Amino acid sequence: MKKCIVLLLCLAMALSMYGCTTTEEGGAVKIGVIFYSKDDSLGQLVYSYLNYAAEVVEDLEIQWALGSYDAASQLTDAENLIAAGCDGILCLTLDDVAMTSIASTCEENEVYFQVMFRMPASDETTETLSALDYYVGYAIEDTVSTSYETIHILAEQGIRNIAVGGNTHSATSLLRMEGMYSACEDYDVNIVAEFDISQDVTGVQSDVQNILDTYSDVEAIWLMSGSLGNAEIVLNTLRSHKESTGETVGFVTFDTFDGMEEAFEEGLLYGAVGGQAPLCLQAFAALYNAIDGHPLSEDKLGLTFPFLILTDSEDLQFFENYYNDTTIQIYDEEIIQSMLYRYNSDVNLEELTEFWNSYSSDWIKEEISSR
């Protein structure tokens, strides 16, 4: 009897250990997502894409924490998600304070952490994060080259004098400004004035109007960010200027916005940058594989994802028909599963990077039409 009891106990322990291993590699996964909103164009698509991933990946649960706009609130979100049993957290962090505090909390609780649409703004933050076992890395848009291209778009139209709306308050801001400055030098484009877009939109309107009144040679506005109403304000200000003077001063902007079709038709919009929402699935793949016991790299990941640049009404029509529609999954079930070791044991970072870099308007058209 004693021998039987010992054997049963050993068998129970073995099964228990086997069960733990299965949970770590190939078991159920719960990921918490911290995001500012699911209501604007980017938020709607990110919400749709990640929820779809939960449908096509077996035993995957997504739990959302929406609406936080400061580091303290995002940390509270992370703590709540950890308490709810999340194995990993995916977050658009608002700043380095949020990034490091969430990463440290995840480290203490052995929960994996992946940043998306942001990167560390300082070397100190990078060094802090690099020392953590459960920090996977970040995924960010290919900002510098895209910013460079926006100036190329202006230069191709013969524009040589511009005003710049930007700031240097985040790593993303710095990269966009870097690409812009570099292209201005290469294409001999002069910056006649700069204004800060970190203030409220009323201030942006006043700044643009003052520039138009003061610098008669300004030919275009370069806008580092059109979100939070900035693009609409700039458009309306330039429209009023054209109506009152007969002179056309256009603009190019990061971020898509309402009213782009009319702006292109009026000759006031030279280009708009967007289309980056699938980046959330790039970040998801990095996080999921790490949780599943098969990280894409032993090093901390610094992933980049292409933008789409719209330069005319035809581009905009494509954008609305193929991209800006939550009923369309640009990355379908087959693609999502192919990025995960659980479904594709041959997955590797080099091939995934090549695939992610192939993202473009032409790729989307070909992919969607082939289904």
Side-chain angles (χ1 to χ4, degrees):
M1 180 62 72
K2 289 181 179 179
K3 289 182 179 180
C4 288
I5 292 173
V6 170
L7 287 172
L8 288 171
L9 287 173
C10 290
L11 179 61
M13 290 177 65
L15 289 173
S16 175
M17 291 175 65
Y18 175 78
C20 290
T21 302
T22 304
T23 300
E24 292 176 2
E25 296 189 16
V29 172
K30 184 175 183 178
I31 291 177
V33 182
I34 303 172
F35 211 72
Y36 64 92
S37 173
K38 65 178 180 65
D39 298 324
D40 69 345
S41 57
L42 177 62
Q44 289 175 1
L45 290 167
V46 169
Y47 190 75
S48 171
Y49 291 165
L50 290 175
N51 284 339
Y52 178 71
E55 294 177 15
V56 301
V57 176
E58 185 180 1
D59 294 327
L60 170 63
E61 180 183 350
I62 300 290
Q63 182 167 333
W64 291 88
L66 300 164
S68 292
Y69 289 90
D70 60 76
S73 298
Q74 287 198 319
L75 176 58
T76 299
D77 289 339
E79 291 170 342
N80 290 337
L81 291 170
I82 291 170
C86 288
D87 303 292
I89 290 178
L90 190 60
C91 181
L92 190 167
T93 49
L94 297 176
D95 55 29
D96 276 22
V97 174
M99 202 178 294
T100 54
S101 60
I102 294 173
S104 296
T105 301
C106 286
E107 186 77 8
E108 293 170 3
N109 291 276
E110 299 183 351
V111 170
Y112 288 93
F113 177 49
Q114 169 75 37
V115 177
M116 59 177 172
F117 300 103
R118 290 290 185 271
M119 66 179 291
S122 71
D123 293 339
E124 181 181 357
T125 299
T126 299
E127 185 177 347
T128 298
L129 296 175
S130 297
L132 303 178
D133 293 331
Y134 285 84
Y135 169 70
V136 180
Y138 65 83
I140 193 171
E141 303 95 333
D142 186 6
T143 298
V144 174
S145 62
T146 304
S147 185
Y148 188 97
E149 180 60 25
T150 58
I151 296 298
H152 180 213
I153 289 169
L154 298 179
E156 280 191 320
Q157 299 192 42
I159 292 171
R160 289 294 176 266
N161 298 307
I162 67 171
V164 167
N167 62 57
T168 56
H169 302 325
S170 69
T172 299
S173 301
L174 288 168
L175 291 173
R176 291 183 184 181
M177 299 295 280
E178 175 188 333
M180 179 271 298
Y181 286 133
S182 176
C184 284
E185 183 175 348
D186 289 348
Y187 291 111
D188 196 26
V189 173
N190 304 311
I191 301 173
V192 300
E194 296 190 41
F195 60 99
D196 190 348
I197 61 168
S198 62
Q199 56 187 309
D200 62 72
V201 291
T202 304
V204 170
Q205 190 277 333
S206 176
D207 284 341
V208 173
Q209 188 60 57
N210 287 338
I211 287 170
L212 294 172
D213 294 339
T214 305
Y215 301 94
S216 59
D217 58 344
V218 68
E219 300 169 274
I221 306 292
W222 183 88
L223 199 58
M224 189 193 74
S225 173
S227 62
L228 303 176
N230 284 322
E232 289 90 337
I233 288 292
V234 171
L235 171 61
N236 290 332
T237 305
L238 298 179
R239 182 178 285 142
S240 296
H241 176 75
K242 183 177 182 179
E243 292 172 352
S244 63
T245 67
E247 299 176 354
T248 299
V249 176
F251 75 112
V252 63
T253 181
F254 277 82
D255 302 317
T256 57
F257 60 95
D258 292 333
M260 287 190 294
E261 184 175 1
E262 295 81 2
F264 275 128
E265 291 173 353
E266 295 174 76
L268 293 172
L269 180 62
Y270 299 131
V273 177
Q276 70 270 40
L279 179 154
C280 69
L281 292 173
Q282 178 191 45
F284 160 76
L287 178 62
Y288 184 95
N289 283 314
I291 294 171
D292 207 34
H294 302 281
L296 294 176
S297 173
E298 294 181 1
D299 300 322
K300 306 306 179 186
L301 294 171
L303 305 173
T304 57
F305 194 83
F307 276 110
L308 303 178
I309 303 178
L310 316 180
T311 58
D312 54 33
S313 296
E314 184 178 344
D315 286 347
L316 178 60
Q317 191 61 54
F318 147 78
F319 188 79
E320 296 296 340
N321 291 344
Y322 288 89
Y323 171 85
N324 203 24
D325 184 344
T326 57
T327 66
I328 295 176
Q329 295 297 325
I330 290 177
Y331 284 5
D332 62 10
E333 178 177 359
E334 182 180 354
I335 292 175
I336 292 173
Q337 291 182 351
S338 73
M339 297 192 295
L340 308 179
Y341 181 90
R342 179 175 298 196
Y343 296 93
N344 175 20
S345 60
D346 294 325
V347 68
N348 63 77
L349 182 58
E350 182 179 357
E351 291 182 1
L352 279 182
T353 299
E354 182 178 351
F355 167 70
W356 288 326
N357 287 340
S358 68
Y359 175 81
S360 65
S361 296
D362 289 340
W363 182 89
I364 294 173
K365 291 176 184 177
E366 182 177 345
E367 174 64 27
I368 301 301
S369 62
S370 67
R371 294 177 186 171

Coordinates of all heavy atoms in Angstrom, one line a residue, residues 309-338:
I309 N 2.2 56.7 -47.4 CA 2.2 58.1 -47.7 C 1.2 58.4 -48.8 O 1.3 57.8 -49.9 CB 3.6 58.6 -48.1 CG1 4.6 58.4 -47.0 CG2 3.5 60.1 -48.4 CD1 6.0 58.8 -47.4
L310 N 0.2 59.2 -48.5 CA -0.8 59.5 -49.5 C -0.5 60.9 -50.1 O -0.2 61.8 -49.4 CB -2.2 59.6 -48.8 CG -2.6 58.5 -47.8 CD1 -4.0 58.7 -47.3 CD2 -2.5 57.1 -48.5
T311 N -0.5 60.9 -51.5 CA -0.1 62.2 -52.1 C -1.2 62.7 -53.1 O -1.0 63.8 -53.6 CB 1.2 62.0 -52.9 OG1 1.0 61.0 -53.9 CG2 2.3 61.7 -52.0
D312 N -2.3 62.0 -53.2 CA -3.4 62.5 -54.1 C -4.7 61.8 -53.8 O -4.8 60.9 -53.0 CB -3.0 62.4 -55.6 CG -2.6 60.9 -56.0 OD1 -3.2 60.0 -55.4 OD2 -1.8 60.8 -56.9
S313 N -5.7 62.2 -54.5 CA -7.1 61.6 -54.3 C -7.1 60.1 -54.6 O -7.9 59.4 -54.0 CB -8.1 62.4 -55.1 OG -8.2 63.7 -54.7
E314 N -6.3 59.7 -55.6 CA -6.3 58.3 -55.9 C -5.7 57.4 -54.7 O -6.3 56.4 -54.4 CB -5.5 58.0 -57.2 CG -5.5 56.6 -57.6 CD -4.7 56.4 -58.9 OE1 -4.4 57.4 -59.6 OE2 -4.3 55.2 -59.2
D315 N -4.6 57.9 -54.1 CA -4.1 57.3 -53.0 C -5.1 57.2 -51.8 O -5.2 56.2 -51.1 CB -2.9 58.0 -52.5 CG -1.6 57.8 -53.3 OD1 -1.7 56.9 -54.2 OD2 -0.7 58.6 -53.2
L316 N -5.8 58.3 -51.7 CA -6.8 58.4 -50.6 C -8.0 57.4 -50.8 O -8.4 56.8 -49.9 CB -7.4 59.8 -50.5 CG -8.5 60.1 -49.5 CD1 -8.0 59.8 -48.1 CD2 -9.0 61.5 -49.5
Q317 N -8.4 57.3 -52.1 CA -9.5 56.3 -52.4 C -9.0 54.9 -52.0 O -9.8 54.1 -51.4 CB -9.8 56.4 -53.8 CG -11.1 55.6 -54.2 CD -12.3 56.2 -53.5 OE1 -12.6 57.3 -53.5 NE2 -13.0 55.3 -52.8
F318 N -7.8 54.6 -52.4 CA -7.3 53.2 -52.0 C -7.3 53.1 -50.5 O -7.7 52.1 -49.9 CB -5.8 53.1 -52.5 CG -5.0 52.3 -51.6 CD1 -5.0 50.9 -51.6 CD2 -4.1 52.9 -50.7 CE1 -4.3 50.1 -50.7 CE2 -3.3 52.2 -49.8 CZ -3.4 50.8 -49.8
F319 N -6.8 54.1 -49.8 CA -6.7 54.1 -48.3 C -8.0 53.9 -47.7 O -8.1 53.1 -46.8 CB -6.1 55.5 -47.9 CG -5.7 55.6 -46.4 CD1 -4.5 55.0 -46.0 CD2 -6.6 56.2 -45.5 CE1 -4.2 55.1 -44.6 CE2 -6.2 56.3 -44.2 CZ -5.0 55.7 -43.7
E320 N -9.1 54.5 -48.2 CA -10.4 54.4 -47.6 C -11.0 53.0 -47.9 O -11.6 52.4 -47.1 CB -11.3 55.4 -48.1 CG -11.0 56.9 -47.7 CD -11.0 57.1 -46.2 OE1 -11.7 56.3 -45.5 OE2 -10.4 58.0 -45.7
N321 N -10.7 52.5 -49.1 CA -11.3 51.2 -49.5 C -10.6 50.0 -48.9 O -11.2 49.0 -48.6 CB -11.2 51.1 -51.1 CG -12.2 52.1 -51.7 OD1 -13.1 52.6 -51.1 ND2 -12.0 52.3 -53.0
Y322 N -9.3 50.1 -48.8 CA -8.5 48.9 -48.4 C -8.0 48.9 -46.9 O -7.9 47.9 -46.3 CB -7.3 48.7 -49.3 CG -7.6 48.2 -50.7 CD1 -7.9 49.1 -51.7 CD2 -7.7 46.9 -51.0 CE1 -8.2 48.7 -53.0 CE2 -8.0 46.4 -52.3 CZ -8.3 47.3 -53.2 OH -8.6 46.9 -54.5
Y323 N -7.6 50.1 -46.5 CA -7.0 50.2 -45.2 C -7.9 50.7 -44.1 O -8.0 50.1 -43.1 CB -5.7 51.1 -45.3 CG -5.1 51.5 -43.9 CD1 -4.2 50.6 -43.3 CD2 -5.5 52.6 -43.2 CE1 -3.7 50.9 -42.0 CE2 -5.0 52.9 -42.0 CZ -4.1 52.1 -41.4 OH -3.6 52.3 -40.2
N324 N -8.5 51.8 -44.3 CA -9.3 52.5 -43.3 C -10.7 51.9 -43.1 O -11.7 52.6 -43.1 CB -9.4 54.0 -43.6 CG -9.6 54.8 -42.3 OD1 -9.3 54.4 -41.2 ND2 -10.2 56.0 -42.5
D325 N -10.7 50.6 -42.9 CA -12.0 49.9 -42.8 C -11.8 48.7 -41.8 O -11.0 47.8 -42.1 CB -12.3 49.3 -44.2 CG -13.7 48.6 -44.2 OD1 -14.2 48.3 -43.1 OD2 -14.2 48.4 -45.3
T326 N -12.5 48.8 -40.7 CA -12.3 47.8 -39.6 C -12.9 46.4 -40.0 O -12.6 45.4 -39.3 CB -12.9 48.2 -38.3 OG1 -14.3 48.5 -38.5 CG2 -12.2 49.5 -37.8
T327 N -13.6 46.3 -41.1 CA -14.1 45.0 -41.5 C -13.1 44.2 -42.3 O -13.3 43.1 -42.7 CB -15.4 45.2 -42.4 OG1 -15.1 45.9 -43.6 CG2 -16.5 46.0 -41.6
I328 N -12.0 44.9 -42.7 CA -10.9 44.3 -43.5 C -9.7 44.0 -42.6 O -9.2 44.9 -41.9 CB -10.5 45.2 -44.7 CG1 -11.6 45.3 -45.7 CG2 -9.3 44.6 -45.3 CD1 -11.3 46.3 -46.8
Q329 N -9.3 42.7 -42.6 CA -8.1 42.3 -41.8 C -7.0 42.2 -42.8 O -6.9 41.3 -43.5 CB -8.4 41.0 -41.1 CG -9.4 41.1 -40.0 CD -9.1 42.0 -38.9 OE1 -7.9 42.2 -38.5 NE2 -10.1 42.7 -38.3
I330 N -6.1 43.3 -42.8 CA -5.0 43.3 -43.7 C -4.1 42.1 -43.5 O -3.6 41.4 -44.4 CB -4.2 44.6 -43.6 CG1 -5.1 45.7 -44.1 CG2 -2.9 44.5 -44.3 CD1 -4.4 47.1 -44.0
Y331 N -3.8 41.7 -42.2 CA -3.1 40.5 -41.9 C -4.2 39.4 -41.5 O -4.8 39.5 -40.4 CB -2.2 40.7 -40.7 CG -0.9 41.4 -41.0 CD1 -0.7 41.9 -42.3 CD2 0.1 41.6 -40.1 CE1 0.5 42.6 -42.6 CE2 1.3 42.2 -40.4 CZ 1.5 42.7 -41.7 OH 2.7 43.4 -42.0
D332 N -4.4 38.5 -42.4 CA -5.4 37.5 -42.1 C -5.0 36.4 -41.2 O -3.8 36.4 -40.7 CB -6.0 36.9 -43.4 CG -4.9 36.2 -44.2 OD1 -3.8 35.9 -43.7 OD2 -5.1 35.8 -45.4
E333 N -5.8 35.4 -41.0 CA -5.5 34.3 -40.1 C -4.2 33.6 -40.4 O -3.3 33.3 -39.6 CB -6.6 33.2 -40.1 CG -6.4 32.0 -39.2 CD -7.6 31.1 -39.2 OE1 -8.6 31.4 -39.9 OE2 -7.5 30.0 -38.6
E334 N -4.0 33.3 -41.7 CA -2.7 32.6 -42.2 C -1.5 33.4 -41.8 O -0.5 32.9 -41.4 CB -2.8 32.3 -43.7 CG -1.6 31.6 -44.2 CD -1.7 31.3 -45.7 OE1 -2.8 31.6 -46.3 OE2 -0.7 30.8 -46.3
I335 N -1.5 34.7 -42.1 CA -0.4 35.6 -41.9 C -0.1 35.7 -40.4 O 1.1 35.6 -39.9 CB -0.6 37.0 -42.5 CG1 -0.6 36.9 -44.0 CG2 0.5 38.0 -42.0 CD1 -1.0 38.3 -44.6
I336 N -1.1 35.9 -39.6 CA -0.9 36.0 -38.1 C -0.3 34.8 -37.6 O 0.7 34.8 -36.8 CB -2.2 36.4 -37.4 CG1 -2.7 37.8 -37.8 CG2 -2.1 36.3 -35.9 CD1 -4.1 38.2 -37.3
Q337 N -0.9 33.6 -37.9 CA -0.3 32.4 -37.4 C 1.1 32.1 -37.9 O 1.9 31.5 -37.1 CB -1.3 31.2 -37.8 CG -2.6 31.2 -37.1 CD -3.5 30.1 -37.5 OE1 -3.2 29.3 -38.4 NE2 -4.6 30.0 -36.8
S338 N 1.4 32.5 -39.1 CA 2.8 32.3 -39.6 C 3.8 33.1 -38.8 O 5.0 32.7 -38.9 CB 2.8 32.7 -41.1 OG 2.8 34.1 -41.2

